[in-house]
Amino acid sequence: MLTPAHNRAAFIDRTVKGVLSQTYGSVEYIIVDDGSTDGTLQLLQSYEGHGTISLLQHPNGENRGQSASLNLALSVARGEYIAILDSDDMFHPRKLEILVDYLERHPDVGLAYSNGYAVDENDNVLYEMHPPDHQEENDPNRLLMDCYFLLPQNAVVRQSVFDAAGRFEESFRSAQDHDMLLRIVEKTKIAYVPEHLFYYRRHGDSISAKRQDLRWKTGFEILRRAAKRYPYRRSTIRKRRAVLHFRMGQVHWRAGERGKALPHFLMAGALDPLRGFSVLTGREQVR
């Protein structure tokens, strides 16, 4: 179990307790404090006497980002299976038991993920993460188009798969989860377990809610590397580039930067005219 933590004093206690309550019997829990300044480190230090928890920091207590923190944890992890939990999210008590059991029974699968719920700051359920008819197609093209499941809090992965895929890209301060998922699905078979086993925190201070411009800018570099690394379909690459331009257009439009938004919208329409027409006519909702 790995958790990178940066300024999550409001939520980290619930996150840690969710791991300590796991029914799976053998958990090595590595937490990396990533230069917190809000009391998160002090809260984590109160757990240091618990035998299953190892608390790490970067040299001089630096803030080096989520990727560097995960790589530090991966460098010392000894388990056969790796699960990552963000510092504001939570696991169902049987999360590890169920997904590890699935991987034990399916040696050809390198990553197993589940359904879950999005929750608000007070743990109230907002919606379920996957619809009842969700199916895993094991198609890297689908995952390139849409990062439809979450690596940090959703998956259990064999350590050997991380060894094959490589470590998290430390130059990315956003969207590193999508980059890693692509490299994993390019290497191994993945599987979906239709049980609700995690809770994804939605709040205004979450990493996913901030710096959307950085996420989509990073997306262009992720796409460039993916196209160079793996034989994705040309149509997938073109349509993903259209999505990224559309998202960048949205960022600029919401910021009142109409002049910057328009070229992105035009490029999105040129790259994927059928989808662009569907969005303009209201046939497809883009959130």
Side-chain angles (χ1 to χ4, degrees):
M1 271 298 313
L2 316 178
T3 291
H6 175 67
N7 289 349
R8 285 289 177 259
F11 303 114
I12 190 65
D13 192 55
R14 280 174 276 180
T15 298
V16 173
K17 286 178 177 176
V19 174
L20 297 181
S21 67
Q22 289 296 299
T23 57
Y24 183 71
S26 179
V27 178
E28 173 194 46
Y29 192 16
I30 302 169
I31 307 174
V32 179
D33 181 74
D34 187 25
S36 296
T37 58
D38 70 339
T40 294
L41 176 60
Q42 289 71 30
L43 284 169
L44 291 172
Q45 286 172 335
S46 70
Y47 284 100
E48 280 192 292
H50 197 286
T52 63
I53 293 179
S54 298
L55 177 59
L56 306 179
Q57 294 178 267
H58 298 296
N60 301 314
E62 291 179 276
N63 169 233
R64 296 187 56 194
Q66 189 179 70
S67 291
S69 298
L70 288 172
N71 287 343
L72 175 59
L74 284 168
S75 72
V76 300
R78 297 168 296 176
E80 181 180 355
Y81 301 103
I82 300 292
I84 298 171
L85 180 62
D86 277 351
S87 54
D88 50 359
D89 300 322
M90 299 177 293
F91 276 177
H92 183 281
R94 297 190 64 209
K95 168 77 173 184
L96 297 179
E97 175 193 348
I98 290 172
L99 292 189
V100 169
D101 176 70
Y102 184 94
L103 290 170
E104 290 281 298
R105 292 184 289 106
H106 299 83
D108 60 322
V109 173
L111 176 154
Y113 70 100
S114 70
N115 208 340
Y117 294 107
V119 298
D120 66 14
E121 296 180 10
N122 298 310
D123 300 344
N124 298 307
V125 172
L126 301 174
Y127 54 85
E128 64 177 347
M129 299 301 294
H130 296 291
D133 60 350
H134 177 73
Q135 300 287 328
E136 178 51 54
E137 299 173 3
N138 265 281
D139 181 2
N141 287 275
R142 182 185 176 201
L143 192 58
L144 180 61
M145 273 297 298
D146 178 18
C147 189
Y148 56 84
F149 75 92
L150 304 168
L151 177 65
Q153 60 277 64
N154 196 346
V156 175
V157 186
R158 296 183 193 276
Q159 172 80 278
S160 59
V161 171
F162 274 117
D163 292 340
R167 294 302 185 241
F168 286 85
E169 176 53 68
E170 295 188 16
S171 68
F172 295 163
R173 285 297 187 113
S174 184
Q176 64 275 357
D177 50 347
H178 192 197
D179 174 63
M180 177 57 78
L181 278 173
L182 289 171
R183 287 189 278 132
I184 286 175
V185 77
E186 291 164 8
K187 296 289 186 180
T188 188
K189 182 179 179 181
I190 64 177
Y192 171 63
V193 177
E195 297 196 41
H196 296 82
L197 299 178
F198 75 101
Y199 304 92
Y200 173 50
R201 183 87 57 193
R202 300 303 305 265
H203 58 95
D205 194 43
S206 66
I207 295 173
S208 60
K210 298 188 296 185
R211 293 302 309 274
Q212 287 293 308
D213 59 334
L214 180 59
R215 182 171 188 85
W216 305 123
K217 285 178 183 177
T218 304
F220 283 103
E221 177 60 16
I222 291 171
L223 178 61
R224 186 192 69 80
R225 295 186 188 191
K228 185 177 180 180
R229 186 179 61 237
Y230 188 85
Y232 289 98
R233 292 191 293 269
R234 290 184 178 180
S235 60
T236 302
I237 295 169
R238 173 175 53 79
K239 290 178 180 180
R240 178 60 183 173
R241 189 171 287 115
V243 168
L244 293 171
H245 277 292
F246 182 81
R247 293 301 191 188
M248 284 302 302
Q250 284 184 312
V251 168
H252 289 304
W253 188 268
R254 290 166 181 166
E257 300 168 338
R258 304 300 197 248
K260 292 183 179 180
L262 186 58
H264 286 290
F265 286 141
L266 291 174
M267 183 61 73
L271 289 167
D272 194 354
L274 289 178
R275 190 177 189 192
F277 180 76
S278 295
V279 171
L280 286 173
T281 56
R283 297 179 183 177
E284 180 176 345
Q285 294 291 322
V286 180
R287 296 180 174 85

